């Protein structure tokens, strides 16, 4: 099997959208042009700093267009570029997969984590018993 080179197109493409904030911002903008506060309100748990960083990165990559209107106070709007809109279909494919399989993944994860805990507990118990048995067998018989 061939190694996956660091400069392959697929890897470089995935690096653009690999974090979940990027995908969520693209989904939010898929519905149309929005102001920063609208995007922030739509995406739960994203900080303003992270949203700013994500929007800047998407703008730099040509996926989001930022328009600043010369009014007081300044008004800024964000929208997907034509290139950014090409990501909607693959993102919906990921959404469809998640809707279909995420509960199964979470169930398997819980089983795996529980098995790991039980296995570790069993190993610790066996080690404690082994040490306890070793201590019993090495004890000298008492004199009568």
């Amino acid at each position: 099997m061939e190694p996956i080179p660091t400069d392959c197109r697929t890897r470089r493409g995935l690096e653009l959208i690999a974090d979940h904030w990027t995908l969520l911002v693209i989904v939010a903008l898929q519905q149309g042009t929005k102001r920063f506060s609208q995007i922030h309100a739509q995406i739960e748990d994203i900080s303003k700093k992270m949203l700013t960083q994500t929007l800047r990165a998407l703008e730099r990559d040509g996926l989001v267009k930022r328009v600043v209107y010369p009014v007081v106070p300044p008004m800024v709007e964000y929208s997907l570029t034509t290139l950014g809109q090409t990501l909607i279909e693959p993102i919906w494919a990921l959404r469809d997969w998640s809707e279909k399989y995420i509960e199964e993944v979470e169930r398997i994860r819980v089983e795996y984590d529980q098995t790991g805990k039980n296995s570790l507990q069993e190993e610790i118990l066996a080690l404690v018993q082994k040490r306890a048995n070793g201590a019993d067998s090495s004890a000298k018989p008492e004199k009568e």
Side-chain angles (χ1 to χ4, degrees), residues 8-116:
C8 81
R9 288 181 181 149
T10 302
R11 191 169 175 167
R12 292 182 352 235
L14 287 172
E15 288 172 355
L16 290 177
I17 61 167
D19 72 274
H20 67 283
W21 296 125
T22 296
L23 293 176
L24 294 174
V25 168
I26 291 171
V27 168
L29 290 174
Q30 174 259 329
Q31 299 165 350
T33 300
K34 294 189 176 174
R35 296 176 67 182
F36 183 92
S37 60
Q38 293 172 307
I39 301 167
H40 187 256
Q42 188 172 354
I43 303 173
E44 292 183 8
D45 295 338
I46 190 169
S47 68
K48 289 180 179 183
K49 179 181 177 183
M50 184 54 63
L51 179 55
T52 299
Q53 290 174 353
T54 302
L55 286 165
R56 284 182 184 158
L58 289 169
E59 182 182 11
R60 179 177 178 256
D61 293 334
L63 302 173
V64 165
K65 180 180 178 183
R66 178 177 181 261
V67 176
V68 180
Y69 295 94
V71 294
V72 177
M75 186 173 86
V76 181
E77 291 184 333
Y78 298 90
S79 59
L80 290 178
T81 63
T82 303
L83 183 60
Q85 291 172 0
T86 64
L87 288 169
I88 297 302
E89 187 176 338
I91 289 172
W92 283 144
L94 286 171
R95 183 204 63 171
D96 292 345
W97 181 90
S98 296
E99 290 293 324
K100 188 172 182 179
Y101 296 109
I102 197 63
E103 288 179 2
E104 182 178 352
V105 168
E106 290 169 345
R107 179 185 53 76
I108 292 168
R109 183 185 299 152
V110 167
E111 289 174 6
Y112 179 89
D113 290 347
Q114 196 59 42
T115 301

Side-chain angles (χ1 to χ4, degrees), residues 140-144:
K140 296 179 181 177
E142 292 184 26
K143 292 183 181 177
E144 293 182 22

